[in-house]
Amino acid sequence: MSPRYSGPPRRASSLAVICAAVLLVPVTATGTAVALGDIGADLRTGLDATQWVVNAFFLTFAAFMASTGALADRVGRRRMFALGTGVFAASMLLAATAPDVGVLVAARALAGVGAAAASTGGTALLAHAYPAGPGRTRAFAWFGTTLGLGLAFGPLIAGTLVGAVGWRGLFAAAAVTLLPVLPLSVVLEESRTVPGGPMDWGGAAAFTLALAAFTFGVIEGPALGWTHPAVAAAFAACAILAAAFAMAERRHPAPLVDLSLLTRPRFAAITSMPFLLAFGFVALTIALPPYLMATSGYSAGQAGLTLMLLTGPTLVMPPVTGVLARRLPHRVLLVATLLLVAAGTALLATVPAGAGPVRLAAPLVLIGAGFGLSLAVVDGAAVSSVEPARAGMAAGLFNTARITGEVVAIAVLGAVLSTLTRASLTGRYGEARAALATSRLLQGDIAGAVPAGAGRLEFARLASAGYADALHTALWLLTLLSLAGALAVGLLMSVREPARITS
């Protein structure tokens, strides 16, 4: 087979290989939340450490998204895709055999790097294999559907595996599933571009360190105290590094991301969407499984199955959006997305602890429908809001904003739940007992949160109520955020921009 050939059979096989690899990214990303209780109990670790099991993945996934994309253009997109897939598979094996939480967190961080390389390399390969037109649209629709399938069924798959073979089986299964993809990467056609300047290592380092400092501060804040020197230093470092990143991007001849695009109202509005939805949807896929396990007594499998009410609509809504997009402007669809999420989070805030799937169904479906509505709109809207010559840079900035939003949202929501739950118990039971109970509760382990002895039932009731109150407060805050976002996006999308000057 000639390496230059890229006809339909070659394209179809390329699409299949890439989709097979990226399917495991959302499965292990959201599915890990279902396993946190078992991980914490097995490795005898606290809440802040288990939160790093989730956040380490999202942190490196976001931090390396732009740099692996830039490197793929230089060293070859197939090479970057194969390397990323190999690193991701190896990290899953390491996670499955981790002797302690430190090794597990390191494995999850390595998985994020691999996922970033595989995702950026894979999307670049698809763009090369499918020229602009209906073929590319269909290819990326399949790519998006694959991610949606992984997102929708990730908690269910994870819950089933954790219940059957334990949390190590989840990571081992991911590694074994990925192994056949590695030799099949030879069917992909290599491509690269001549770089327009030196690699922006300074910008990459500043962005990665800034995001890591912020995540450290948010995760460790509830445990160490928000005024602890380490936490304060982390936030200060984040601010300094973020300023350094912005300066580096303005001065570099080939920056990782062109921040000047954010001065365009429409692009700024569209780029804010994944950030807002990270709070209203993605963070909930991480926060809800342990909540249901702790307050309703769900097993890991039951929690994963219930979460299908939230993630399932992401499979149904994109085709519906395709029909609506032919009749309605992007502005209407984007605002509708945020209003649906706001309605869902507000309704969910009224559902008491211990409620069954029937009470949860309406709010979860509303949130999922809102997120699903956005899936078929935002990526194309982001690219189409700039001139064609800057479409690649716009896509890079948009995807960086998407994953960064997920890191921030998951860390912030976890910190809010931890701080409020702990505060509700401290006054009556003291700091040490409240901290221990909160740690176990937010890992989905109500049995481990309640000490033996007299007053056990009363403690369990108050702990569950405190956790529920914390989630409800967080949900009202998410509702306000989505409503404010809907107003801001609507106004920014209404701004008439000056004619573009193509470069």
Side-chain angles (χ1 to χ4, degrees):
M1 184 180 292
S2 168
R4 294 181 179 274
Y5 177 68
S6 59
R10 183 67 172 266
R11 291 177 182 172
S13 58
S14 298
L15 178 62
V17 169
I18 293 168
C19 287
V22 301
L23 175 64
L24 272 299
V25 172
V27 167
T28 59
T30 59
T32 303
V34 178
L36 289 184
D38 285 10
I39 291 172
D42 185 31
L43 300 181
R44 294 182 174 86
T45 188
L47 176 64
D48 54 339
T50 56
Q51 283 183 322
W52 277 112
V53 175
V54 172
N55 282 280
F57 172 84
F58 283 97
L59 171 61
T60 53
F61 191 24
F64 284 86
M65 181 69 71
S67 54
T68 54
L71 279 173
D73 292 339
R74 288 168 162 77
V75 306
R77 288 140 182 171
R78 182 179 68 181
R79 183 177 298 176
M80 184 59 67
F81 170 80
L83 176 63
T85 303
V87 168
F88 190 84
S91 69
M92 291 296 97
L93 286 175
L94 180 60
T97 58
D100 54 56
V101 73
V103 175
L104 179 58
V105 169
R108 293 290 291 158
L110 188 62
V113 178
S119 299
T120 54
T123 53
L125 285 168
L126 286 181
H128 174 74
Y130 290 85
R136 174 180 286 186
T137 301
R138 287 193 295 271
F140 276 94
W142 275 106
F143 184 81
T145 300
T146 300
L147 293 176
L149 284 169
L151 185 68
F153 291 97
L156 177 60
I157 293 171
T160 302
L161 286 171
V162 170
V165 295
W167 65 269
R168 296 181 186 275
L170 167 65
F171 298 125
V176 171
T177 304
L178 276 172
L179 289 179
V181 176
L182 293 172
L184 291 175
S185 62
V186 297
V187 307
L188 304 173
E189 184 178 10
E190 184 61 284
S191 68
R192 57 172 55 86
T193 59
V194 178
M199 181 68 184
D200 183 15
W201 293 113
F207 178 77
T208 301
L209 293 174
L211 194 56
F214 177 85
T215 307
F216 174 87
V218 172
I219 291 178
E220 300 296 333
L224 298 178
W226 293 106
T227 59
H228 190 279
V231 175
F235 287 127
C238 174
I240 294 170
L241 289 163
F245 171 70
M247 186 179 299
E249 298 312 279
R250 286 198 300 269
R251 295 181 176 180
H252 200 278
L256 289 178
V257 293
D258 186 356
L259 297 178
S260 67
L261 291 173
L262 294 177
T263 63
R264 301 184 176 190
R266 286 180 60 84
F267 185 79
I270 296 165
T271 305
S272 71
M273 287 295 298
F275 197 91
L276 293 166
L277 293 171
F279 281 89
F281 178 85
V282 179
L284 288 181
T285 66
I286 304 298
L288 284 179
Y291 172 79
L292 295 174
M293 293 163 70
T295 63
S296 300
Y298 284 22
S299 66
Q302 290 171 325
L305 184 60
T306 301
L307 216 65
M308 282 288 294
L309 294 167
L310 177 68
T311 58
T314 63
L315 300 178
V316 179
M317 290 305 296
V320 175
T321 308
V323 176
L324 294 175
R326 292 195 289 268
R327 302 182 181 183
L328 299 173
H330 285 154
R331 174 174 174 265
V332 173
L333 293 174
L334 297 181
V335 170
T337 287
L338 294 171
L339 291 179
L340 281 171
V341 171
T345 52
L347 189 57
L348 187 59
T350 66
V351 178
V358 174
R359 290 288 303 274
L360 294 166
L364 294 183
V365 168
L366 276 174
I367 297 169
F371 184 77
L373 185 66
S374 74
L375 289 179
V377 177
V378 290
D379 291 83
V383 173
S384 64
S385 65
V386 302
E387 59 271 16
R390 307 183 77 185
M393 182 63 75
L397 178 55
F398 179 80
N399 284 320
T400 300
R402 185 206 305 270
I403 309 301
T404 301
E406 293 174 1
V407 175
V408 173
I410 292 169
V412 169
L413 183 58
V416 169
L417 293 177
S418 177
T419 300
L420 295 180
T421 304
R422 187 170 176 173
S424 70
L425 296 172
T426 298
R428 183 161 182 170
Y429 294 104
E431 182 68 30
R433 196 172 177 185
L436 178 61
T438 299
S439 176
R440 301 311 306 167
L441 275 172
L442 269 65
Q443 294 177 66
D445 182 11
I446 185 66
V450 180
R456 178 180 175 86
L457 292 179
E458 177 68 6
F459 187 94
R461 184 185 67 80
L462 292 175
S464 179
Y467 193 2
D469 288 344
L471 180 68
H472 292 161
T473 299
L475 287 168
W476 285 120
L477 293 174
L478 294 180
T479 300
L480 293 175
L481 178 64
S482 294
L483 290 174
L487 178 61
V489 167
L491 291 174
L492 288 171
M493 292 289 287
S494 301
V495 175
R496 184 182 298 274
E497 298 184 11
R500 299 173 188 153
I501 301 175
T502 58
S503 56

